[in-house]
Amino acid sequence: MPMKANKTEPQSQTRKQKKDTPWILHIFNHICFVTTIIGCYSCHWKIKQEKKFKHGQCCSLRERLFYPCLVISFCMSVLLVFVWVESSNEYNGFDWVIFIGTGLWFFWSIVLLSFLGILAAYTSLLLILILLVIVICSFFFWILFTYWKDRWLTVGLSLQVFAPYIHLSSIAMMVILSWPLAFYLIHLEGEARIRRYQMTCNERKRNKRCNVLTKLRALQVAIGLPFFLILLCLYLLPLGNFSACVQEKNKLAPKPYFFGHRGAPMLGPENTIMSFEKAVEHGAYGLESDVHISYDHVPFLMHDSDLRRTTNIKEVLPNASLTHPSLFDWDFLSTLNAGKWFSHAPIKPFFGMKPLSEADRERAGNQKIPKLTELLELAQKEKKFVIFDLYGPAPNHSLRALYVHHVVSTILDSQIEQRLIFWLPGFEREYVKKKAPGFQQVSRLHSVERLTKENITRINVDYKNLFYNGMREYRAANISINLYLVNEPWLFSLAWCSRIPSVTTDNIQVLNEMTQPSYFMTPKYYLFVWILMDILSAIFIVAIFYFHWWKESKKEKLLKSTSIHTDIQETASNMEKGSLETLGLLPSSSQPRSKEPSATQAPSVSQQPPGRKLSHHQDPPKRNMLPGVAKNIRSPVFPKGNVKPPVSPKEKIKPPVSTKGDIKPPAPLKGEVKPPVHPKGVIKPPAPPKMEARPLASPKREVRAPVPLKAVPSPEGRFNRQRPTRGRS
């Protein structure tokens, strides 16, 4: 009966392979990845692999079509977050536009920023409703392209400032990405080598395996080539990169001057005397405001087209809260409070605004709507320039056609120096030049030819126009540029590096403390950092690829040695089988095995003499023995009487019982030993032991006179005295 296969060696090989397998394959594998994705999408963390995919396929067609949607939604949401973060300079204006439409003042810009950030984090974590995210992002992009096209100019300006830092950060990111990329590419290379090695042993599948090798090579090229092309572009990017903040220190222009936008609206209520005084305290070069005309012809300072946001008209006259300011008399306007909305409101007008002191809080709560003449008196006293937007009165106002004349007369009557007035309104400019020739004419953004023709040397433009070559043509024509509205330090730094003379800002208290532009660096320093970063990144990437190649080559050597060892074992097993057949311990493979032994054959493990007990200290021979075991085989000496066959040390086999009584063994003749007579039937052999076997001698060998057995050591190290027993008669 054939022995059971020995399972200890395959188990040891399995443990060795698990030990030599990289830890990353145990933690990060396809099953873990799919389980995580399905768990995030459906909260089911136990999955069954219903369908076994072919080699090279990781998922179904539906999953592969869904993945691009995930990538698109992630890119769109991240781009929207980046655009809105860089538009932080416009948050207050955005909140004001929403207030005009809803009548509720809140930080809608921060709410939108939080919402877009959640979308980006949502898609980056591979959560659900990706299609909804795509729809929402598409809606916001449609708004940007339709109603807010100039917002993309802000992104372009931010890239001019942050380009060197984005470049260096991108190289660092490529170094990080090189780790999984190198692992995957080297793994594909190792698989291709193994398949090529196996292909020499199996030429029948050559065409099929060659096709698999081609696919592996194509996959390597499709993944590795874009990575190295992007890396090469990043290495050479500074050759075509331009940043206004990368220049020599001796070429840096003087710090721009500040115009306080409605005063200092982060330190006091906008368009109030307190706000303008705070702007003067923080070094304002000029004061910017907005002018309306009351119904009784008094110019006053107000920005909005109604009084809801900056006054308490809802408490005094709720039904008139939406009325245009020019339809109220000055006697009524002077009674309104213009500061409690700023000092006592639970929601501040600017996000991140510092809390007021008790004195400033009390002072702000008592502010009133000021006249234009009060601002002119302050400017004359502090020798500050004044620039303002002039809003026309309502259609049924008495000064609807003559409000410009009236405002010019009011300014001239205030006895302020004409040079301190920057006249910004573009209508009736010729009348203003004749009536007040000392006013400095300031225009909007027009062509250089038109400005030269009108003899205008100052322009007041939106900061986004700085994107177009830094407005070099205007600076070349000696036209002074004032940018509005600049609140962020990075944007002020860009204006500083672009040689802009002045800016209008809400954040004068922060920008005034800057001593040099943010993100400023010299060309030599940037060149040094660029070359150093390129060298270090190249060294790290090469080291990462070499490390993965070394790990894969080590694994490949292990697999080759395992396959060679398996071939040696198969060869040794065949040789052992042939030697056992030669010794007669195994039947010949070409002859059928007989059920009963011949008369000249010695008793084997399956043939035991009747009436004898099998000793548990003797082992039957193994049929599948290694070549080293065959050298230890020796022939035992027959004792007097019958020989006890070997018994497994782990189990004791009882002797068979004859159905017709006990049979006496025949007496041996001189010089001849007859084989014992077995009862009817064949006795089953004992269970295969797991230790060295000692097979019986060949029947052709001459048998000597039996010798009594002495104490034989057992496999466990103890002695057992074997005494011959006689069968019952």
Side-chain angles (χ1 to χ4, degrees):
M1 184 175 182
M3 297 291 183
K4 293 183 179 179
N6 191 3
K7 297 183 179 180
T8 57
E9 188 172 355
Q11 291 178 358
S12 62
Q13 293 179 2
T14 305
R15 295 193 195 99
K16 188 175 182 181
Q17 291 179 358
K18 289 183 178 180
K19 183 179 180 181
D20 295 331
T21 304
W23 61 270
I24 194 171
L25 294 180
H26 291 293
I27 301 175
F28 303 101
N29 52 56
H30 175 70
I31 298 178
C32 295
F33 177 75
V34 173
T35 305
T36 304
I37 297 298
I38 294 178
C40 293
Y41 275 89
S42 61
C43 295
H44 294 131
W45 299 96
K46 294 183 179 180
I47 63 170
K48 294 186 196 177
Q49 191 171 0
E50 299 179 356
K51 183 179 179 181
K52 188 174 182 180
F53 301 107
K54 298 180 180 179
H55 180 77
Q57 294 183 358
C58 62
C59 50
S60 63
L61 178 61
R62 182 179 61 181
E63 294 171 344
R64 281 180 282 177
L65 293 177
F66 184 75
Y67 180 74
C69 298
L70 174 62
V71 174
I72 293 172
S73 61
F74 173 75
C75 296
M76 293 173 66
S77 57
V78 170
L79 182 58
L80 270 178
V81 170
F82 178 74
V83 171
W84 196 242
V85 168
E86 298 303 329
S87 303
S88 58
N89 193 76
E90 301 291 329
Y91 284 177
N92 188 257
F94 178 80
D95 296 339
W96 178 76
V97 172
I98 299 298
F99 172 79
I100 295 300
T102 61
L104 177 63
W105 180 263
F106 192 70
F107 297 125
W108 302 108
S109 56
I110 304 300
V111 173
L112 182 58
L113 176 64
S114 304
F115 177 69
L116 295 177
I118 291 173
L119 291 183
Y122 182 76
T123 54
S124 63
L125 296 176
L126 304 177
L127 296 181
I128 58 175
L129 301 178
I130 302 301
L131 296 178
L132 180 61
V133 174
I134 295 177
V135 172
I136 294 174
C137 293
S138 302
F139 172 73
F140 283 111
F141 276 117
W142 175 76
I143 292 178
L144 287 176
F145 281 110
T146 306
Y147 300 103
W148 222 350
K149 295 180 180 179
D150 56 354
R151 192 61 51 215
W152 298 106
L153 301 179
T154 304
V155 178
L157 291 175
S158 66
L159 291 178
Q160 292 184 14
V161 177
F162 300 110
Y165 301 92
I166 294 176
H167 165 241
L168 300 177
S169 302
S170 300
I171 294 178
M173 184 60 64
M174 295 297 288
V175 173
I176 296 174
L177 292 177
S178 65
W179 180 274
L181 182 73
F183 172 78
Y184 190 67
L185 291 179
I186 301 300
H187 180 71
L188 291 178
E189 179 66 22
E191 186 175 356
R193 289 183 179 182
I194 293 175
R195 288 181 177 274
R196 192 183 301 110
Y197 173 77
Q198 294 175 350
M199 187 175 60
T200 59
C201 302
N202 193 358
E203 293 293 336
R204 297 178 181 177
K205 300 181 180 180
R206 181 179 180 84
N207 296 331
K208 183 177 180 181
R209 293 182 184 272
C210 285
N211 189 19
V212 173
L213 291 178
T214 305
K215 291 181 179 179
L216 292 175
R217 292 298 184 189
L219 187 59
Q220 284 180 298
V221 173
I223 296 175
L225 185 60
F227 174 82
F228 288 105
L229 289 178
I230 294 174
L231 186 63
L232 180 62
C233 293
L234 290 176
Y235 283 162
L236 303 178
L237 182 63
L239 297 177
N241 182 26
F242 169 76
S243 178
C245 292
V246 179
Q247 57 178 295
E248 299 292 344
K249 289 186 177 180
N250 55 3
K251 296 182 180 180
L252 185 63
K255 185 178 180 179
Y257 299 110
F258 300 108
F259 278 88
H261 184 241
R262 307 171 196 170
M266 292 187 180
L267 304 176
E270 65 178 53
N271 281 326
T272 60
I273 298 301
M274 177 185 176
S275 179
F276 292 117
E277 289 178 350
K278 289 290 185 181
V280 172
E281 291 177 5
H282 287 82
Y285 176 75
L287 303 174
E288 190 273 344
S289 185
D290 308 277
V291 178
H292 284 273
I293 299 177
S294 67
Y295 196 74
D296 53 353
H297 306 168
V298 177
F300 65 96
L301 307 183
M302 179 62 60
H303 175 267
D304 297 356
S305 59
D306 56 63
L307 304 174
R308 294 177 298 165
R309 184 174 66 90
T310 57
T311 65
N312 61 339
I313 192 171
K314 288 185 177 181
E315 300 175 0
V316 178
L317 200 62
N319 296 331
S321 59
L322 298 178
T323 306
H324 196 273
S326 62
L327 300 179
F328 294 95
D329 292 333
W330 175 249
D331 293 337
F332 174 76
L333 293 173
S334 60
T335 60
L336 296 177
N337 186 288
K340 285 186 176 180
W341 70 274
F342 179 85
S343 60
H344 294 81
I347 301 176
K348 301 299 179 181
F350 292 91
F351 183 77
M353 189 180 71
K354 294 182 179 180
L356 301 175
S357 62
E358 290 297 329
D360 290 343
R361 181 184 176 89
E362 183 179 357
R363 182 185 177 188
N366 296 324
Q367 293 297 306
K368 302 293 183 178
I369 299 176
K371 296 180 181 180
L372 175 60
T373 55
E374 297 180 39
L375 174 61
L376 298 177
E377 290 175 3
L378 177 63
Q380 177 64 32
K381 178 182 177 181
E382 300 292 342
K383 301 300 179 182
K384 301 297 180 181
F385 294 95
V386 176
I387 185 173
F388 56 85
D389 287 316
L390 181 59
Y391 295 97
N396 54 350
H397 197 278
S398 58
L399 291 178
R400 176 66 178 178
L402 302 174
Y403 68 96
V404 175
H405 299 189
H406 182 73
V407 170
V408 172
S409 300
T410 303
I411 295 174
L412 295 177
D413 294 341
S414 65
Q415 300 300 318
I416 188 176
E417 298 179 30
Q418 292 187 15
R419 67 177 184 86
L420 297 178
I421 301 298
F422 284 4
W423 184 262
L424 183 59
F427 32 85
E428 298 193 33
R429 191 177 293 274
E430 295 299 326
Y431 168 81
V432 175
K433 288 182 179 180
K434 292 179 181 179
K435 189 70 174 178
F439 289 0
Q440 299 191 44
Q441 299 295 322
V442 182
S443 176
R444 304 290 182 180
L445 183 63
H446 298 294
S447 64
V448 177
E449 292 78 9
R450 178 179 175 179
L451 296 175
T452 305
K453 182 179 179 180
E454 295 179 0
N455 195 21
I456 296 177
T457 59
R458 289 182 181 272
I459 56 176
N460 188 51
V461 298
D462 192 351
Y463 74 91
K464 303 177 192 66
N465 294 284
L466 191 63
F467 178 78
Y468 303 105
N469 295 325
M471 306 190 70
R472 297 177 184 176
E473 55 179 343
Y474 292 92
R475 291 189 281 112
N478 293 326
I479 296 176
S480 181
I481 304 171
N482 180 71
L483 295 181
Y484 70 90
L485 183 64
V486 178
N487 292 332
E488 295 298 320
W490 70 266
L491 189 56
F492 178 71
S493 300
L494 180 61
W496 188 347
C497 296
S498 301
R499 298 176 176 271
I500 300 300
S502 61
V503 298
T504 301
T505 179
D506 292 328
N507 201 13
I508 189 174
Q509 72 279 1
V510 174
L511 301 184
N512 189 47
E513 296 178 356
M514 295 178 61
T515 58
Q516 68 174 7
S518 302
Y519 313 104
F520 178 81
M521 65 176 69
T522 61
K524 292 183 179 180
Y525 178 76
Y526 179 47
L527 180 63
F528 170 75
V529 176
W530 166 38
I531 296 177
L532 179 64
M533 194 71 178
D534 288 355
I535 295 175
L536 292 178
S537 62
I539 292 175
F540 274 106
I541 291 175
V542 170
I544 289 172
F545 272 84
Y546 177 78
F547 172 76
H548 285 291
W549 175 82
W550 174 75
K551 293 287 288 183
E552 190 66 26
S553 61
K554 185 178 178 181
K555 179 182 177 182
E556 183 180 354
K557 290 180 181 178
L558 176 63
L559 292 176
K560 287 184 178 180
S561 63
T562 305
S563 61
I564 293 173
H565 181 66
T566 304
D567 296 338
I568 293 175
Q569 285 184 346
E570 292 178 357
T571 306
S573 177
N574 295 333
M575 293 176 61
E576 174 194 356
K577 185 176 180 181
S579 61
L580 292 178
E581 289 178 355
T582 305
L583 294 175
L585 298 179
L586 285 177
S588 177
S589 58
S590 60
Q591 297 178 0
R593 185 175 179 180
S594 58
K595 295 184 180 180
E596 293 185 0
S598 60
T600 60
Q601 186 177 359
S604 62
V605 178
S606 60
Q607 300 168 351
Q608 56 184 359
R612 299 293 183 182
K613 294 183 180 180
L614 297 177
S615 174
H616 65 278
H617 297 289
Q618 295 180 357
D619 300 327
K622 291 185 178 180
R623 296 190 179 274
N624 298 326
M625 293 185 294
L626 297 177
V629 181
K631 297 179 180 180
N632 299 326
I633 298 176
R634 60 180 181 177
S635 302
V637 181
F638 288 92
K640 290 182 180 180
N642 297 326
V643 182
K644 294 182 179 181
V647 182
S648 174
K650 296 184 179 179
E651 57 179 323
K652 185 175 181 181
I653 303 176
K654 297 181 180 181
V657 181
S658 176
T659 56
K660 297 182 180 181
D662 296 333
I663 302 175
K664 296 181 180 180
L669 301 175
K670 292 182 179 181
E672 181 181 359
V673 178
K674 293 183 179 180
V677 180
H678 292 272
K680 292 182 180 181
V682 180
I683 301 175
K684 294 183 180 180
K690 297 183 178 180
M691 61 183 295
E692 184 180 349
R694 297 182 179 180
L696 298 177
S698 174
K700 298 180 180 180
R701 186 172 180 177
E702 183 180 2
V703 181
R704 297 181 180 180
V707 180
L709 292 177
K710 297 182 180 180
V712 180
S714 65
E716 298 154 358
R718 288 178 289 182
F719 291 91
N720 182 23
R721 190 158 187 90
Q722 299 178 354
R723 298 178 179 178
T725 57
R726 297 180 180 177
R728 291 179 297 177
S729 57

